[in-house]
Amino acid sequence: MSEGAPHLSRESQEDLRTRILVDPNKGWAEFLETYGPLMRNVIGNFRLPPEDQQDVFQEVSHTLIKDDYRAIREWRHEKCPLPNYLAVITVRVTINFTKSAFHRNSMRSRFQGVGDGDSGSILDLLEQ
């Protein structure tokens, strides 16, 4: 099971999916409370700046809810537990984000800002 994932039985995982599909507002809030920390932990493993981590978390959430919760509907416990499924989606979205032009431009502007007349040291750059 993925690190940081709550241990829910197969039935509990499937019940949570059903609650999301039947009552999206209430079910989604419960889903984020249960699996949000797992997704944030996976994203955190990429050592992105906090604002980028938040952008990725939002993108993962969007991936899960778009097309009337298609990704949630397509999950099959027979293939893998829900935490593992979510970890794979989160890794894929995070990798796509780091490859995106937006992220590359964002990182480039951060690095340029440190060297442009700024008295910051290489250690300041590494801490970002």
Side-chain angles (χ1 to χ4, degrees):
M1 186 173 286
S2 299
E3 183 178 321
H7 180 65
L8 296 179
S9 69
R10 173 184 182 162
E11 294 79 20
S12 295
Q13 293 173 23
E14 290 174 348
D15 287 346
L16 180 55
R17 175 180 49 194
T18 300
R19 286 192 297 280
I20 291 170
L21 300 177
V22 171
D23 184 357
N25 290 331
K26 188 175 178 183
W28 186 249
E30 183 180 347
F31 174 85
L32 287 178
E33 183 178 319
T34 304
Y35 291 109
L38 164 70
M39 296 185 307
R40 289 187 185 282
N41 185 34
V42 170
I43 294 165
N45 289 333
F46 284 83
R47 308 267 189 246
L48 298 170
E51 59 273 9
D52 287 350
Q53 289 184 33
Q54 183 59 32
D55 288 346
V56 173
F57 185 81
Q58 290 176 2
E59 187 63 30
V60 171
S61 297
H62 176 74
T63 298
L64 293 170
I65 66 172
K66 72 180 177 183
D67 297 329
D68 194 29
Y69 296 89
R70 187 180 86 221
I72 301 287
R73 289 178 190 281
E74 290 177 348
W75 166 68
R76 296 292 175 257
H77 196 279
E78 309 81 56
K79 294 185 179 185
C80 72
L82 185 55
N84 294 9
Y85 180 73
L86 296 172
V88 168
I89 289 172
T90 304
V91 166
R92 184 187 73 224
V93 170
T94 307
I95 289 171
N96 288 343
F97 178 85
T98 61
K99 289 180 174 182
S100 72
F102 170 79
H103 176 69
R104 286 193 308 270
N105 289 335
S106 167
M107 293 304 291
R108 186 177 307 123
S109 67
R110 285 187 193 122
F111 288 127
Q112 288 173 345
V114 171
D116 292 344
D118 189 2
S119 62
S121 70
I122 189 69
L123 294 176
D124 294 333
L125 178 64
L126 294 174
E127 288 178 358
Q128 290 185 354

